[in-house]
Amino acid sequence: MESMRAILVKKIVGERAIIASTASPFKFPEKILKSLGLDLEEDIFQNLQKLAEVSGLDIPKALAGLKDKKILHDRLVSINELESLIKEILGGDHV
């Protein structure tokens, strides 16, 4: 079976999507800001902006646009349940 770190999902609501695991500091803005000794802001989007300001880097477009997107999946599962949840959401054995 392919690693869960990078999975090409062939169909999610008629669109192609990539679930990627990269080393971007913007995936964990709170951890990066804390490691730099900086105070955290009230929400993750403010922390993304603060990280962009202190690093001089742009927030990746995929993350910057999340604030205005509708939450589609709000279930919390253990790591042991992750594979079966992804299959359930995709409606079959796409993974």
Side-chain angles (χ1 to χ4, degrees):
M1 182 174 157
E2 192 172 317
S3 167
M4 296 305 282
R5 291 174 103 36
I7 301 169
L8 174 59
V9 180
K10 297 197 188 235
K11 187 174 180 184
I12 298 178
V13 192
E15 296 179 27
R16 291 183 181 181
I18 294 178
I19 300 171
S21 177
T22 60
S24 170
F26 290 98
K27 285 183 67 177
F28 311 101
E30 289 88 355
K31 297 283 187 193
I32 301 299
L33 292 171
K34 284 175 82 173
S35 73
L36 294 172
L38 300 172
D39 293 329
L40 298 180
E41 301 301 327
E42 291 184 24
D43 72 36
I44 191 167
F45 298 105
Q46 292 173 326
N47 288 320
L48 285 170
Q49 185 58 45
K50 186 172 189 173
L51 181 56
E53 291 169 5
V54 300
S55 69
L57 300 171
D58 292 330
I59 300 171
K61 290 179 185 180
L63 292 176
L66 285 179
K67 187 174 186 176
D68 301 320
K69 297 217 179 236
K70 178 182 171 187
I71 296 174
L72 298 177
H73 307 287
D74 60 357
R75 291 183 261 178
L76 181 63
V77 297
S78 72
I79 192 76
N80 297 334
E81 301 169 294
L82 188 57
E83 181 180 349
S84 62
L85 176 63
I86 291 172
K87 286 180 179 181
E88 177 188 326
I89 290 170
L90 296 176
D93 292 329
H94 296 280
V95 183

